[in-house]
Amino acid sequence: MEHTKRYQLPEEEIPRQWYNIQAEMPNKPMPLLNPATREPMRPEDLYPVFAEELCRQELNQTDAWIDIPEEVREKYKFYRSTPLVRAYGLEKALGTPAHIYFKNESVSPMGSHKLNSAIPQAYYCKQEGVENVTTETGAGQWGASLAYAASMFGLNAAVYQVKISYEQKPYRKSIMQVFGAQVTPSPSMSTRAGKDIITRDPNHQGSLGTAISEAIELAQTTPHCKYTLGSVLSHVTLHQTVIGLEAEKQMAMAGEYPDIVIACFGGGSNFGGLAFPFMRHNFTGERNTRFIAAEPDSCPKLTRGVFRYDFGDETGYTPLLPMFTLGHNFKPANIHAGGLRYHGAGVIVSQLIKDGYMEGMDIPQLESFEAGTLFARTEGIIPAPESCHAIAATIREAKKCIETGEEKVILFNLSGHGLIDMASYDKFIAGDLQNYTLTDEAIRKNLES
């Protein structure tokens, strides 16, 4: 019997609107607060930092569907739609009755899902007359995507890359520079925020929180410049919903519907991008899908963090966000999944966790690489270290189906490939990687500080 491996949508089926889950959530997220006044932020309060249309999208809790500009949609056609793939090889290796599917976002020009938001963010900046954009990046996938998108629209890009990732993944820097971006390891001496962090801790290896601080400061001190963000905030996840909206149509082509949806979790963009279009059917009671966010056990904000208002960066330049957090000055372990080394969860995801619509799952580093290696050997794609966490969570759920005999349908997001992360695989194969234990006492002390 012949089996279909890949499900591909024609170009005319690429979504024409993004899905704004805020409009349909049973409980809306709590407001972002101005750190000076503690009053709810208005779109105009964010204008000095972000493009104005992005500010309106960020705080829009009324419109469930936001039109995708035609110029953005034309740029999406460079690589969208992305395939939905049945993981027959992985299923066979596990001996599971589960049906495993993955949305392959690694086929984008930059090798990850990040371009889905980089293109519209650069577009809106260009429409506003902006000439320069700044951003942060961890593993470098977002920085590479923003550099590429900026070059599409004739913008200058400056990227602060987390120092440990800058050192671990040198070719990400090379990609950004090919597209004309200036790349600086963070923390650096080029900003007041960076100098203060280095003064306090000369050996600081960086975090997304430090890089965000530096990028925002540069945006605020540079003429005709705006800051752009790769995850965490709501407008970023809005743009990523093209993933789940495509996947809905492709799952229908396969004649199935997911019982479980899984994605790795750093700030929430690829998780929300896949999950939110499916989750809206849980709100109405039509479906009862489980949603699992797979995070590193060395950075467990979803399962071991606390819900409170906190800054999105280390220095305190961002609004106060209602989030599950480990504390904005949290220094994560030097794991190789650089995109997941972030102290907090986005406000939408944090509210959904509180309301029980989704759950977090902690994955040790070694288990993630074991899962990624098995996936590579059975499906022929070497996954990014971030995506390995989603694969590990998928394998856990698929093994449960062996015990129960259930043919559950599992859908996960392959958020990126790992072809520029081979140094980390080398260390794993050589036995040089380790797990990092984060004690409850360490979390408590950090939150108290």
Side-chain angles (χ1 to χ4, degrees):
M1 179 179 176
E2 186 174 336
H3 297 290
T4 300
K5 178 72 173 173
R6 298 166 75 251
Y7 298 88
Q8 191 83 46
L9 294 175
E11 282 187 2
E12 59 267 23
E13 291 293 319
I14 296 171
R16 296 182 182 275
Q17 294 178 307
W18 294 301
Y19 173 59
N20 178 21
I21 196 174
Q22 295 188 84
E24 298 188 332
M25 290 171 64
N27 295 312
K28 308 289 189 191
M30 295 163 59
L32 280 61
L33 298 182
N34 184 312
T37 66
R38 302 292 168 133
E39 293 294 320
M41 299 288 288
R42 302 164 299 172
E44 53 267 34
D45 295 331
L46 297 170
Y47 288 173
V49 178
F50 298 100
E52 292 182 10
E53 177 57 28
L54 297 173
C55 300
R56 290 189 283 270
Q57 291 176 2
E58 179 66 28
L59 301 179
N60 186 333
Q61 295 189 342
T62 56
D63 301 313
W65 299 96
I66 307 294
D67 289 341
I68 300 174
E70 192 55 36
E71 190 172 353
V72 170
R73 194 168 176 275
E74 286 298 313
K75 294 289 194 294
Y76 277 169
K77 289 180 181 178
F78 281 38
Y79 61 102
R80 306 211 71 86
S81 69
T82 61
L84 177 77
V85 186
R86 176 77 181 268
Y88 289 111
L90 181 60
E91 291 173 14
K92 182 178 179 181
L94 296 174
T96 180
H99 295 185
I100 301 174
Y101 294 84
F102 63 93
K103 186 71 163 134
N104 187 2
E105 291 294 300
S106 76
V107 300
S108 88
M110 294 298 99
S112 83
H113 71 291
K114 293 291 189 179
L115 201 53
N116 300 330
S117 187
I119 291 173
Q121 289 194 53
Y123 166 81
Y124 288 124
C125 286
K126 182 68 173 181
Q127 291 296 106
E128 198 172 303
V130 171
E131 299 173 1
N132 308 287
V133 290
T134 72
T135 197
E136 82 298 323
T137 194
Q141 290 152 322
W142 167 249
S145 295
L146 193 277
Y148 176 43
S151 72
M152 281 181 172
F153 293 101
L155 303 173
N156 300 310
V159 181
Y160 286 91
Q161 184 173 11
V162 174
K163 184 178 291 183
I164 185 65
S165 293
Y166 182 92
E167 295 167 354
Q168 288 175 341
K169 306 172 193 293
Y171 293 118
R172 297 280 186 209
K173 174 189 66 176
S174 302
I175 292 172
M176 292 181 251
Q177 291 175 336
V178 163
F179 291 108
Q182 174 187 323
V183 188
T184 304
S186 177
S188 74
M189 296 298 286
S190 67
T191 65
R192 170 52 53 193
K195 290 175 183 175
D196 289 346
I197 292 166
I198 291 172
T199 299
R200 291 196 306 270
D201 183 357
N203 297 315
H204 200 301
Q205 290 298 295
S207 70
L208 284 165
T210 67
I212 290 171
S213 293
E214 294 206 85
I216 291 177
E217 181 179 322
L218 182 64
Q220 292 178 321
T221 56
T222 303
H224 309 295
C225 186
K226 295 290 184 180
Y227 170 65
T228 60
L229 184 67
S231 191
V232 185
L233 290 184
S234 302
H235 68 269
V236 184
T237 308
L238 171 74
H239 305 150
Q240 294 293 350
T241 57
V242 295
I243 303 172
L245 293 169
E246 287 182 2
E248 271 195 299
K249 296 179 181 180
Q250 291 164 314
M251 290 299 302
M253 292 168 65
E256 303 212 79
Y257 192 91
D259 297 300
I260 306 171
V261 173
I262 298 172
C264 64
F265 193 91
S269 69
N270 96 92
F271 171 82
L274 178 65
F276 290 173
F278 289 98
M279 195 179 290
R280 76 186 198 271
H281 304 300
N282 277 28
F283 296 159
T284 63
E286 300 170 69
R287 298 286 184 175
N288 189 31
T289 303
R290 277 180 69 205
F291 297 92
I292 300 173
E295 62 182 0
D297 72 346
S298 60
C299 195
K301 59 263 189 177
L302 297 179
T303 58
R304 298 168 66 191
V306 299
F307 181 82
R308 72 182 190 191
Y309 274 99
D310 198 3
F311 290 105
D313 69 313
E314 181 161 336
T315 302
Y317 289 153
T318 69
L320 286 164
L321 309 176
M323 56 161 58
F324 278 94
T325 180
L326 297 168
H328 63 272
N329 59 347
F330 176 71
K331 289 194 294 185
N334 294 336
I335 61 171
H336 284 264
L340 307 186
R341 298 172 69 252
Y342 185 65
H343 66 272
V347 299
I348 294 176
V349 168
S350 294
Q351 187 64 49
L352 292 170
I353 284 274
K354 283 181 65 181
D355 293 342
Y357 285 104
M358 56 171 285
E359 60 195 88
M361 181 179 289
D362 298 342
I363 306 292
Q365 178 164 248
L366 290 180
E367 182 182 349
S368 74
F369 274 92
E370 288 166 1
T373 301
L374 176 62
F375 182 80
R377 292 173 180 175
T378 56
E379 295 296 329
I381 303 170
I382 298 174
E386 293 80 9
S387 301
C388 289
H389 290 72
I391 296 168
T394 296
I395 289 173
R396 286 187 186 184
E397 295 301 317
K399 286 182 175 179
K400 290 179 184 177
C401 292
I402 300 172
E403 300 168 8
T404 64
E406 296 174 285
E407 290 188 357
K408 288 190 175 180
V409 178
I410 304 173
L411 169 64
F412 76 89
N413 199 16
L414 182 68
S415 56
H417 68 63
L419 296 180
I420 309 178
D421 299 288
M422 296 314 298
S424 57
Y425 278 93
D426 284 345
K427 288 188 175 182
F428 170 69
I429 292 167
D432 293 336
L433 284 190
Q434 65 186 66
N435 289 324
Y436 293 89
T437 301
L438 185 64
T439 66
D440 290 338
E441 178 69 10
I443 294 174
R444 184 187 62 78
K445 286 184 177 179
N446 195 72
L447 289 166
E448 289 176 351
S449 66

